[in-house]
Amino acid sequence: AAPAPAPAPAPAPAPAPEQPAAREDEGTTPTRYPSIEPDTAVRADAPITLVIDLLHRAAPATRGGSVSVGEQPLDWTDLDLDVTLLSPGITFDAGGRGTVTIRRNAASQPATVTGRVHADVAAGSDIEITAQFWYGTRFSGIGVRTLRVSDSAAHESNHGATLSTGGSPLVEPRGTAASAQVTAGHTDTTGAIQVDREAVAPDVTIYISLIDPSLPGRLHWRMVVTPPFATLPAKLDGMIDLGQEPRAEAVTMFKQIATLERGKHQRAIEGLGERLWQRAPAEFRAVYWALHDHLQRSLTMQFISDDPHMPWELMAPFRDGEQHEPLALRHAVARWISRFAGLMRNSLPAGRLVTVSPHYKRANLRLSLAEETASTLSATFGAEVVPGTLDGMLALLEQPRQEPVSLLYFTGHGAFSTDSASASVIKLEDGELSVDDVARQRVVLGKNDGTVVFFNACEVGATAAVLGTVGGWADAFLSRHFSAFIAPLWAIDEEDASVVTNELMTKIVRDHQPLGAALRDVRRAHGDVSPTFYSYLLYGDVTAHLPAPTRA
């Protein structure tokens, strides 16, 4: 008889989960990393499922960096963050919404979001997916993943990655696909997520996303309102297309406003505001009126934007039988640059007030009112006067003293380029300070102290000049971790600028009023005087306020 076949070898036992070394409880400051993973290869005109998570270890394929979730209560056990997905190449089900639950000393509970890849995407092209994280109405950060579109129907199932954080193994699903690849040169993110349970939430946050860099006017708007109410519209996102030159359109707007005659400017600004209102998505307009009718009060509105050009704060809402003044006069409004999402602070620093007011040698450059205003700040609030020289400014930015700086105020001249934000400068007594100078790694004042910056600078001899997309300066300061930046959008009148400074500083330094509300009140009180009072833009948290300053 033929010998019996040899028994098949027994399958190798699955490797035991990694047993981490015991370690202490992760405490009240958990750290996580965003992860966006597809469950299969990405194919045109095919369904897709994405797992959105916040992991204990970095997910190499997802950009966003280390995530400090912020100080939590001593007895915290879990924390829910809403997540919404946005992609130019995918239509998501249920608005791309889900919830990620962070759990203490354990793997988080991920969100699973489904959708369908557009039929017209080409094999071999890339699709960028942005996950926006929210804590109530507070925008808390982003993670970004780039996926390569495959021409294969091959599907790879999920597999587990065993991670450990102390106590027991954590299995965190990280689905992969052979065709999913990371590509360089896409959206940069800094300080991905920051959650502050104690922060005052705005009534509405409006996230404006640039869908395709080759189409600079195509913008997606998402409105976040919490808690919902019965008359809130069901659709909370919409799309607009401003065409190929939104920057040029904004520059033209600012030049027109800056040259308006004092006291006769309001009709023109209202007309501009109504045009902006009509350019905004119908979904935003519906949300605005729903909030107005429901709350019957001034709103707090936070814009988070990829668009540095259009002054949406000047929108003037209207509907049949009702017109509102521009948002900036009626409501507390502020904006932030989306790629610095996790750096927006609701708690501003206590510390010294510092003024920089160059004493120009040339008579035609001297700003007597500006120097007088700086002296008033010193006498009234104990502000420290820093020499208006290049060495004085660089020493303040690069080698700050141990005593923290709460607010830095500059008043003087500038030269602002509409062609290149990096070419914009402020003029000092013996030189110039450029946008690129501020954006350098050597500038540590913001990272050390979280200083608020207030620029009162106007272009030399050019009454219709634009503060060359104020976003260039804002980008530089925010990239170096400054908490807020306030500056005018167009050329300003010296006398009116002095009024803005005195009243705004009184409201935010002495009265500790939130930045957004303080700037609104100044505009409301003097908006009929000149265009200068409409020009100031706030990059920062709309509800943030300064604590009592510490005098040196």
Side-chain angles (χ1 to χ4, degrees):
E18 177 185 355
Q19 296 296 325
R23 81 177 198 184
E24 295 180 0
D25 171 73
E26 64 179 315
T28 58
T29 55
T31 297
R32 297 292 187 273
Y33 300 83
S35 170
I36 304 172
E37 293 291 348
D39 71 338
T40 185
V42 181
R43 292 178 289 115
D45 198 26
I48 186 171
T49 298
L50 295 160
V51 177
I52 316 303
D53 212 342
L54 290 168
L55 307 178
H56 287 79
R57 292 183 181 175
T62 302
R63 304 189 296 283
S66 175
V67 175
S68 175
V69 179
E71 186 73 25
Q72 303 301 309
L74 291 173
D75 60 348
W76 85 281
T77 58
D78 54 61
L79 176 66
D80 288 340
L81 290 180
D82 294 329
V83 61
T84 52
L85 297 189
L86 179 67
S87 175
I90 302 173
T91 298
F92 293 107
D93 302 326
R97 291 174 169 83
T99 300
V100 179
T101 301
I102 298 173
R103 299 185 295 182
R104 188 170 187 157
N105 305 323
S108 63
Q109 181 65 44
T112 300
V113 179
T114 59
R116 191 171 194 88
V117 180
H118 294 173
D120 58 354
V121 297
S125 64
D126 292 333
I127 296 178
E128 187 166 271
I129 300 167
T130 299
Q132 304 167 353
F133 294 92
W134 303 86
Y135 186 66
T137 58
R138 289 191 60 77
F139 177 64
S140 300
I142 58 178
V144 180
R145 176 73 188 265
T146 303
L147 301 175
R148 175 102 3 120
V149 179
S150 174
D151 57 2
S152 168
H155 177 87
E156 292 191 15
S157 60
N158 290 352
H159 66 273
T162 302
L163 305 178
S164 60
T165 62
S168 61
L170 309 176
V171 178
E172 298 185 317
R174 296 171 60 192
T176 60
S179 62
Q181 300 180 27
V182 181
T183 58
H186 290 264
T187 303
D188 179 32
T189 59
T190 302
I193 299 173
Q194 177 174 287
V195 179
D196 183 353
R197 287 190 173 188
E198 303 301 319
V200 179
D203 294 314
V204 58
T205 296
I206 304 99
Y207 192 112
I208 303 176
S209 303
L210 177 63
I211 296 297
D212 184 343
S214 67
L215 300 171
R218 185 168 169 76
L219 302 171
H220 177 272
W221 288 43
R222 170 166 283 137
M223 285 65 70
V224 178
V225 180
T226 300
F229 48 91
T231 56
L232 184 67
K235 188 166 173 41
L236 299 178
D237 64 299
M239 192 80 70
I240 59 172
D241 194 338
L242 301 176
Q244 285 294 321
E245 292 294 335
R247 184 188 67 83
E249 182 176 351
V251 167
T252 301
M253 288 181 188
F254 300 154
K255 286 185 177 181
Q256 291 172 346
I257 294 173
T259 55
L260 293 173
E261 186 178 349
R262 293 171 63 87
K264 299 181 180 179
H265 58 284
Q266 284 185 290
R267 290 195 305 275
I269 290 178
E270 287 173 3
L272 165 65
E274 290 181 5
R275 277 194 288 131
L276 286 168
W277 173 253
Q278 291 176 302
R279 303 293 293 275
E283 293 82 1
F284 168 77
R285 301 198 296 266
V287 168
Y288 173 83
W289 288 118
L291 280 166
H292 167 73
D293 295 341
H294 178 68
L295 296 176
Q296 290 293 308
R297 59 166 172 78
S298 177
L299 304 175
T300 52
M301 308 179 71
Q302 181 74 58
F303 287 87
I304 308 287
S305 184
D306 289 334
D307 164 39
H309 307 297
M310 300 301 288
W312 299 111
E313 294 88 340
L314 295 181
M315 281 188 286
F318 64 89
R319 59 182 173 180
D320 289 344
E322 187 171 5
Q323 297 85 37
H324 283 184
E325 61 267 43
L327 298 181
L329 264 69
R330 189 180 186 93
H331 306 291
V333 294
R335 65 167 58 193
W336 193 257
I337 298 172
S338 61
R339 72 190 188 95
F340 304 121
L343 301 181
M344 189 170 67
R345 308 184 193 187
N346 188 255
S347 178
L348 300 180
R352 296 177 291 143
L353 306 181
V354 171
T355 66
V356 180
S357 178
H359 181 72
Y360 300 111
K361 295 179 181 179
R362 289 170 52 189
N364 66 320
L365 292 181
R366 288 177 189 161
L367 297 169
S368 56
L369 272 177
E371 294 182 41
E372 181 181 331
T373 300
S375 298
T376 299
L377 296 181
S378 179
T380 305
F381 302 109
E384 176 184 335
V385 178
V386 169
T389 62
L390 191 57
D391 284 347
M393 195 72 170
L394 290 176
L396 174 64
L397 295 174
E398 298 176 5
Q399 302 167 10
R401 301 205 314 258
Q402 185 173 357
E403 304 89 348
V405 176
S406 176
L407 188 145
L408 165 60
Y409 173 76
F410 171 85
T411 180
H413 283 301
F416 304 114
S417 169
T418 59
D419 298 321
S420 172
S422 63
S424 298
V425 300
I426 56 171
K427 294 182 178 294
L428 299 168
E429 294 173 13
D430 58 350
E432 297 176 340
L433 185 78
S434 72
V435 166
D436 286 343
D437 291 332
V438 171
R440 292 175 304 130
Q441 294 296 308
R442 288 181 181 273
V443 173
V444 296
L445 177 62
K447 197 164 189 176
N448 288 3
D449 300 347
T451 305
V452 175
V453 178
F454 182 8
F455 265 25
N456 237 344
C458 62
E459 175 120 9
V460 180
T463 59
V466 179
L467 191 112
T469 66
V470 65
W473 283 104
D475 193 282
F477 280 109
L478 268 53
S479 73
R480 300 309 304 145
H481 297 231
F482 287 81
S483 294
F485 178 69
I486 303 169
L489 280 167
W490 53 77
I492 54 177
D493 176 85
E494 184 185 0
E495 184 176 347
D496 295 335
S498 179
V499 173
V500 171
T501 300
N502 290 327
E503 293 199 11
L504 186 60
M505 295 291 279
T506 296
K507 291 178 183 298
I508 65 177
V509 175
R510 188 192 68 188
D511 301 338
H512 314 300
Q513 197 173 341
L515 300 183
L519 200 50
R520 174 204 61 202
D521 289 351
V522 172
R523 297 188 194 105
R524 181 181 291 171
H526 304 285
D528 60 345
V529 174
S530 86
T532 290
F533 295 95
Y534 285 86
S535 70
Y536 289 88
L537 195 68
L538 166 62
Y539 280 81
D541 190 311
V542 67
T543 64
H545 63 88
L546 286 170
T550 300
R551 296 185 181 180

